[in-house]
Amino acid sequence: SILFDGSTQYAATSNIALSFTTFSMECLVKYTSLSGNQGLFTYNNNNVINLWKGSGLGMRWEVNTSSQSITGANDLATGVWYHFVGVYNGSQGILYRNGIVYAGPTTLTSHTSEAANFEIGRYNGAGNTNGNIAIARFYTRALTATEVLQNYNATKTRFGL
């Protein structure tokens, strides 16, 4: 896993143009601190796709804008590995934690594809993660509940989930 300091460290790609109408983001994280906004995985230009922990919130899955989002319960803890997957099937979003539905399904408007940067460990140009990120995957399709559980089961022993 990669340890991010919550201040200046994150990973980013240069502008990548993708065309998709369904997608999924997957991330495995262990927080050192829960203060402030902390981005896990972002594909962001004008139309956002964000998987992040909000200040005073649980994990949040955003598609298009912050008003198009799903937020899980504010029950995260430091020192614990979490497997998060945000899925968008073209009309609804679902947020999974550790292989089961954490929030949603919620109707969301369609995403407009565009060129953008992928960022790991940062939210929307700020809000850096304070903790470890071990997995960050982007799929240009909606994962099924079976696939989400399969991915969780494939990693849970390795990370003590």
Side-chain angles (χ1 to χ4, degrees), residues 16-75:
I16 297 175
L18 296 175
S19 179
F20 48 83
T21 55
T22 63
F23 47 87
S24 304
M25 273 186 171
E26 177 179 16
C27 217
L28 190 65
V29 62
K30 179 174 69 172
Y31 290 105
T32 304
S33 167
L34 294 170
S35 64
N37 295 332
Q38 297 187 40
L40 291 183
F41 203 175
T42 299
Y43 181 73
N44 191 352
N45 195 345
N46 294 314
N47 296 297
V48 301
I49 303 172
N50 292 317
L51 187 56
W52 64 287
K53 186 209 72 65
S55 180
L57 301 172
M59 188 57 56
R60 190 167 183 155
W61 171 232
E62 291 178 346
V63 175
N64 279 339
T65 68
S66 60
S67 63
Q68 294 289 316
S69 63
I70 303 167
T71 304
N74 185 13
D75 60 356

Side-chain angles (χ1 to χ4, degrees), residues 1-3 26-31 79-84 98 132-137 151-161:
S1 70
I2 300 172
L3 177 62
E26 177 179 16
C27 217
L28 190 65
V29 62
K30 179 174 69 172
Y31 290 105
V80 177
W81 282 105
Y82 295 103
H83 178 257
F84 290 105
N98 297 343
N132 295 72
I133 297 176
I135 293 172
R137 295 181 182 133
N151 288 359
Y152 167 71
N153 285 333
T155 59
K156 69 180 185 179
T157 302
R158 180 176 173 194
F159 292 96
L161 296 168

